Amino acid sequence: MPESPKTIIKVKNLTVGYGDTIVLRDVSFDVGRGEIFVVLGGSGCGKSTLLKNMIGLYRPRAGQILYDGQDIVTAEGVQRRSLLRSIGVMYQSGALFGSLTLMENVRLPLEEFTDLPDPAMDLIAAMKLQLVGLKDFGHYLPSELSGGMRKRAAIARAMVLDPQILFLDEPTAGLDPITSAEMDQLILQLAESLTMTFVIVTHELPSIFAVADRVIMLDQRAKGIVASGSPAQLRDTSTDPWVRSFFRRETTPVAIQQEDRPPHE
Amino acid sequence: MKPFTKKPSAALPGDVCRILEHNEETLYLSLTGRLDASATAQLWTPLLNLVENIAPQLLRVKADAVTYCDGAGIGLLMELARRQLKRQGQYSLNGLKEEIAHLWSQYQPEDFLEIHSTRPQPCCMPEEAGRLVVHAWQSMLDMVRFTGELTLALLHAARHPRSVRWPEVWLVMEKAGVNALFIVGLISFLIGLIMAFQATIPMRQFGVEIYVANLTALSMLRELGPLMTALLLAGRSGSAFAAELGTMKINEEIDALTTMGLAPIPFLVVTRVLATVMIMPLLSLFANLMGLVGGAVVLLSLGYPLITYINQVKAAVNLLDLTGGLAKTLIFALIVAGVGCLYGLKTRSGASAVGDSATRAVVMGIILIVIADGLFAVVYYYLGI
Ligand SMILES: Nc1ncnc2c1ncn2[C@@H]1O[C@H](COP(=O)(O)OP(=O)(O)OP(=O)(O)O)[C@@H](O)[C@H]1O
Ligand SMILES: [Mg+2]
């Protein structure tokens, strides 16, 4: 990891909501290049909402989201397209296209954004599916897969372009611990080899400790960030009761596990 | 999918890839710089063509000057390895930076010898034909089973009217009935108008224009009013039922109902069938009226007074014509709602499945309505109605 990562995403005084309700108020934080940034918080506190605003899907009430100084909300045309090219998103529900096979789903961003010849796209898509353990399911339709398999296929689609920044909304929820650890491993590897930046929403404590460089915790009542820091900092020093109980719930077994054997073999 | 286009003219981009050594056995290449998607896209075809033409026994790639290599670049390296493997040649890749080597080491060329991207297609005609027959037979069985279950559920509902969810029935009646008034009225009015108008021309030759009233009244009441209403409802509500239940099926809502002990047919289908059966005769009555209004407009414009038209209509039709027409709509309503719900419940998974179900429901609904109408015509003929 770079010691003091240069800021790649700067969120300034962001206020977001739906209709008359405000979900998050006046939130600011920075994400550094190559950093694995984890967003935590109780169910319904606005993590997915924050993510969708960060990728420019919704127009925030107030505030700015700057990618290398460029505001995604106001970017238009070529600028917007090149911004979108540099980010990959996995939605909480997977959002695979139901009428396309897995392979076609994964190929789609390649077709849209690159000039690679056809067999190249097939091969690259197959390689990404292999990374998530789905190589033999390329010709399946999403509806013929289990929930966890869909999730993994969605991860493959999100990272097929090797974007600079990957947003993952609960990538490992519903996966078994072993697959989940493999996904963590994959994330670490991509962050290291390609200096990819990750913004991840997750509740899995083992994942958080395995990958996260920095964590922010959102809260529904405060409508904002109640804690931020490295996972160990939050576990050991936070005074917020929610944060403490969240990390206490499982910290002991995880700590023991991590001492007993390396987290990934 | 586009076929792999060979462009032998495309030159190897020399700044990225250079040939270091080339003899009968060996091809020694060096790669330089960033191997990202755009560089790879330029390199892919010329490089592979080159290697394919030379077909070296040993392909060596020197990659120590590669500064960045993402999935696309790794894909290119893999393709080279894969082709060597296929022609049983050898491949050596050296000098990859440690981080990139990590990425590369996750894959084995043997895993990618074959890549399936699309669904295997069923092959030959007999197989297809067999599938079609089996499928048609299954559909018929489904329809028979569904009809049976629906009949039982309706009988149960008749014996225990309190078990029916009436609020939903009213809602469906409003959506399928009240909201359809405009389109049903408009179409019937125009049909009455057009029919009367077309009929005046031959009738005038015989000087019996006034019989246009008889023609309009008889055909509207006995045939066109009920039929047009049924066809419109098949398109409007049959498809809506199929889409609604189909979406529920896909979202596992139907499964959820079943596990809660609520059978989908009494819970979802009976309400829709009852609502359609109650609303269709009323709509058809309205259609008849609008058709007659259309006829009246034509005769008024020919100079006949309204009262003459009304008297002529009264003399032309009797109550049996009206009730016979309306009786048909009860069966049409059963068909529209039943077929819509059946295809909704039969929806298979996938995003396009709901659309398919709605389409099939409309097509099947229309076919069955027309068949039923023909049967009615025969039966009424023998009954003398
Ligand atoms: N499309 C929407 N329209 C209106 N309100 C919404 C919409 N989506 C979410 N909300 C509201 O916004 C709030 C935050 O929702 P969000 O989906 O961001 O939560 P979350 O933190 O991702 O929760 P979870 O961990 O359960 O996924 C919730 O109170 C929810 O009711
Ligand atoms: Mg969420």
Side-chain angles (χ1 to χ4, degrees), chain A residues 85 101 103-104 114-120 122-124 126-127 130-131 135 139 141 143-144 162 189 193-194, chain B residues 1-2 4 37 41 44 69-72 74-75 79 99 102-103 106-107 111-112 115 117-120 349-350:
Chain A
R85 163 73 175 81
T101 63
M103 192 75 158
E104 290 163 342
T114 70
D115 305 322
L116 289 165
D118 227 45
D122 274 344
L123 178 65
I124 293 167
M127 288 166 74
Q130 145 104 3
L131 277 188
K135 186 182 156 281
H139 57 287
L141 289 174
S143 53
E144 297 165 336
D162 291 308
Q189 190 149 59
S193 313
L194 303 177
Chain B
M1 228 174 278
K2 291 174 295 196
F4 180 25
W44 191 282
C69 180
D70 66 8
I74 298 279
E79 181 71 14
E99 312 94 78
H102 263 305
L103 283 183
Q106 291 173 316
Y107 307 100
D111 290 343
F112 297 98
I115 297 167
S117 65
T118 43
R119 306 176 67 70
S349 45

Side-chain angles (χ1 to χ4, degrees), chain A residues 38-74:
Chain A
V38 168
V39 180
L40 279 182
S43 178
C45 71
K47 303 179 296 295
S48 301
T49 308
L50 176 65
L51 230 59
K52 285 180 182 166
N53 276 279
M54 284 176 75
I55 57 179
L57 213 52
Y58 301 150
R59 189 169 275 267
R61 295 300 174 73
Q64 286 178 309
I65 301 133
L66 304 173
Y67 287 78
D68 280 331
Q70 192 177 23
D71 194 335
I72 192 165
V73 180
T74 55

